[in-house]
Amino acid sequence: MVPFDFAYYRPQSIAEATALFAALERDGKRPLYYGGGTEIITLSRLNLVRTAAVIDMKAIPECRVLDASADPLVFGAALSLTELEEANPFPLLTKAAREVADRTARNQITLGGNICGQIFYRETALPLFVAEADVIVAGPYGVRQCRFNDLFHQQLQLGRGEFIVQFKVDRATATLPHFHRKRRKQGEVGYPLVTIAALKKDGAIRVAFSGVCPFPFRSAEVEAHLNDRSRPAAERIQAAVAAFPRPILHDIEGSADYRLFVAAKLLEDALRELGEEETM
Amino acid sequence: MEETTKRELVLSINGERRAVVARQAETLLFVLRDGLGLTGAKPGCLNGDCGACTVLVNGTPIKSCMMLAIETVGKEITTIEGLDDAPIQHAFVRHFAFQCGYCTPGFIMNAHALIERHPDADETTIQEWLEANICRCTSYQEIETAVKEALAAKKVETKF
């Protein structure tokens, strides 16, 4: 139950959505774009989110596109995670999506919502980092396309009134050898101790993490250490982990030391599965 | 521009059109129970974790504590009250797949959708779907048996 009132809007186009946002903002309604709504509703109940208006993105056709035959592949931000899983155009994204929350919740959780939400794990961002996806953003100044990695620093750097319309992923990249693993404190559902997504392109490993820091990340320095084949794998991993950004999460799910230990083990698994045995 | 007020919603529930006046910020669970007297969907955690409030929206399981009622206008809602002698209901009774019964409507709605959508579901699919629901009495083994029996019956029915 949401302990305050808000108005619900369901625009049918990008232009209608941005115009609504601007009008509601002018009226002091502090509007929120609304995807699956799971986070807005659950955090509202706890008074951690407050708004006088939500703008549902699910009737905007561009936000609902799933084009698996195009190159690049196109994923609308308002697709549910289970819709993406069932279509499976990008297997690494499917694996990341499948580990978020539980299946019933994923019938509602959208790709855009998972990436833009307040809950900082944002695990579906990891495949988009390593695939070097593009992102289509709409806002008061029109529609723009940019590199996902350029726009994401700890979280997506969207301007007021902007929202994600789509993600685009190079078709060939989407089928490259990859690795995904999520380790939790316990059970099969829940937040990660460490989640890792990796992909090998042109002989180089790209890797992104969630659950290690209070934000998901991909780091050039970490990857430089991992791909330094002049050194044995154990040293590469040690140097990579030492180069992680800070702070390392230290909470009830796991201590900072334990998370780094788990991350190093997962990197070992990733290198092995991506064919780096000869250096191990 | 519309003001934040209550609004009359016409919802399609269990094959009937039902009108209800509700806040735009109200969840489907609350409107079903307090607005329409359909108390089969249960409030548990109200946080999307337990699955006791699961209903079907256009045949897809949804945690009704996390969906606004207004989002379901124009869609087909099925609650436990709308299941009429579904095989999974009988299977639950036969295998005594509950103790206190509080989680049962949610489990049944999720399992019913699984059986309808994936009559060929394997162990992995069954686990993936059903781990969205929690049973504090830990009747999981009996629930699994009931679901597998209903799936097997559906498979036979589908073949013929």
Side-chain angles (χ1 to χ4, degrees):
Chain A
M1 185 173 182
V2 177
F4 53 86
D5 277 338
F6 56 67
Y8 171 88
Y9 297 90
R10 196 174 174 90
Q12 308 290 313
S13 69
I14 291 172
E16 191 188 342
T18 53
L20 255 174
F21 191 99
L24 291 163
E25 184 87 328
R26 268 197 307 277
D27 286 353
K29 305 283 191 190
R30 287 184 293 170
L32 291 177
Y33 289 119
Y34 182 100
T38 58
E39 186 176 298
I40 291 177
I41 291 176
T42 52
L43 295 186
S44 291
R45 189 176 63 84
L46 302 170
N47 281 306
L48 296 173
V49 162
R50 204 171 172 95
T51 180
V54 300
I55 301 172
D56 191 339
M57 315 308 288
K58 296 192 289 293
I60 299 173
E62 291 88 339
C63 295
R64 294 279 309 148
V65 169
L66 202 177
D67 196 342
S69 55
D71 191 8
L73 305 169
V74 185
F75 309 123
L79 291 170
S80 73
L81 297 186
T82 48
E83 284 174 320
L84 281 164
E85 293 165 38
E86 280 166 12
N88 193 26
F90 179 13
L92 182 56
L93 181 59
T94 297
K95 287 174 187 167
R98 192 163 268 162
E99 297 292 337
V100 174
D102 60 59
R103 199 183 193 285
T104 305
R106 294 199 304 276
N107 288 331
Q108 268 185 276
I109 297 169
T110 61
L111 180 60
N114 182 250
I115 287 169
C116 296
Q118 285 190 30
I119 296 169
F120 57 59
Y121 298 105
R122 304 183 185 112
E123 290 167 89
T124 53
L126 307 189
L128 301 173
F129 281 141
V130 295
E132 301 190 341
D134 284 326
V135 57
I136 311 294
V137 176
Y141 307 109
V143 176
R144 64 190 171 109
Q145 174 163 339
C146 42
R147 303 288 293 270
F148 182 68
N149 291 352
D150 292 341
L151 201 64
F152 197 107
H153 299 288
Q154 302 199 354
Q155 56 184 329
L156 265 185
Q157 305 296 314
L158 295 176
R160 194 75 189 140
E162 285 191 321
F163 65 88
I164 304 176
V165 180
Q166 292 168 345
F167 299 95
K168 294 188 175 183
V169 173
D170 174 59
R171 198 176 172 75
T173 305
T175 56
L176 287 171
H178 59 267
F179 175 88
H180 183 274
R181 201 143 299 163
K182 177 171 182 171
R183 286 277 181 261
R184 300 177 181 83
K185 184 180 178 186
Q186 61 181 18
E188 303 293 328
V189 174
Y191 297 132
L193 267 175
V194 178
T195 301
I196 171 172
L199 181 148
K200 193 171 187 178
K201 185 170 189 185
D202 303 329
I205 290 172
R206 302 171 178 179
V207 63
F209 300 86
S210 172
V212 177
C213 301
F215 48 84
F217 68 89
R218 179 185 173 199
S219 152
E221 196 185 343
V222 167
E223 286 180 11
H225 288 301
L226 270 186
N227 286 302
D228 177 7
R229 291 189 178 79
S230 67
R231 303 165 75 186
E235 278 182 30
R236 288 151 61 186
I237 291 169
Q238 205 175 11
V241 169
F244 280 179
R246 294 294 191 265
I248 305 299
L249 283 169
H250 181 76
D251 56 25
I252 195 160
E253 301 281 341
S255 67
D257 284 348
Y258 187 56
R259 284 176 196 268
L260 292 177
F261 170 78
V262 173
K265 287 290 170 199
L266 291 180
L267 278 173
E268 221 178 285
D269 293 343
L271 291 189
R272 190 176 301 110
E273 286 198 23
L274 291 173
E276 300 283 307
E277 295 95 340
E278 70 279 5
T279 60
M280 297 188 81
Chain B
M1 190 165 293
E2 295 151 293
E3 288 302 313
T4 304
T5 53
K6 287 187 173 181
R7 190 186 276 191
E8 185 180 79
L9 306 177
V10 179
L11 304 179
S12 175
I13 305 177
N14 302 329
E16 294 177 1
R17 281 164 60 84
R18 301 282 305 268
V20 61
V21 175
R23 296 188 305 133
Q24 294 174 53
E26 205 49 84
T27 58
L28 178 59
L29 174 65
F30 188 84
V31 169
L32 288 172
R33 291 179 59 84
D34 287 41
L36 295 163
L38 295 167
T39 56
K42 296 288 183 271
C45 65
L46 298 178
N47 199 51
D49 295 321
C50 76
C53 65
T54 303
V55 301
L56 307 186
V57 177
N58 286 350
T60 300
I62 290 291
K63 296 186 177 185
S64 62
C65 74
M66 292 200 299
M67 179 173 272
L68 300 176
I70 197 170
E71 287 184 72
T72 63
V73 171
K75 296 178 177 168
E76 294 292 330
I77 302 161
T78 310
T79 68
I80 188 77
E81 290 90 344
L83 289 195
D84 185 12
D85 274 343
I88 187 66
Q89 293 174 295
H90 289 286
F92 261 63
V93 172
R94 233 180 342 266
H95 294 282
F96 200 45
F98 41 78
Q99 287 189 48
C100 82
Y102 199 82
C103 70
T104 309
F107 262 106
I108 286 186
M109 295 314 292
N110 196 12
H112 180 71
L114 169 67
I115 293 160
E116 291 298 312
R117 291 262 177 99
H118 299 287
D120 56 343
D122 58 10
E123 292 273 349
T124 310
T125 308
I126 296 171
Q127 183 181 335
E128 189 196 353
W129 278 61
L130 293 190
E131 68 192 8
N133 296 67
I134 294 171
C135 171
R136 288 296 300 172
C137 311
T138 65
S139 298
Y140 295 112
Q141 207 169 331
E142 292 81 0
I143 291 169
E144 187 186 354
T145 307
V147 171
K148 283 183 174 168
E149 181 187 283
L151 272 168
K154 179 76 178 175
K155 247 186 220 174
V156 171
E157 179 195 312
T158 309
K159 275 180 190 158
F160 290 98

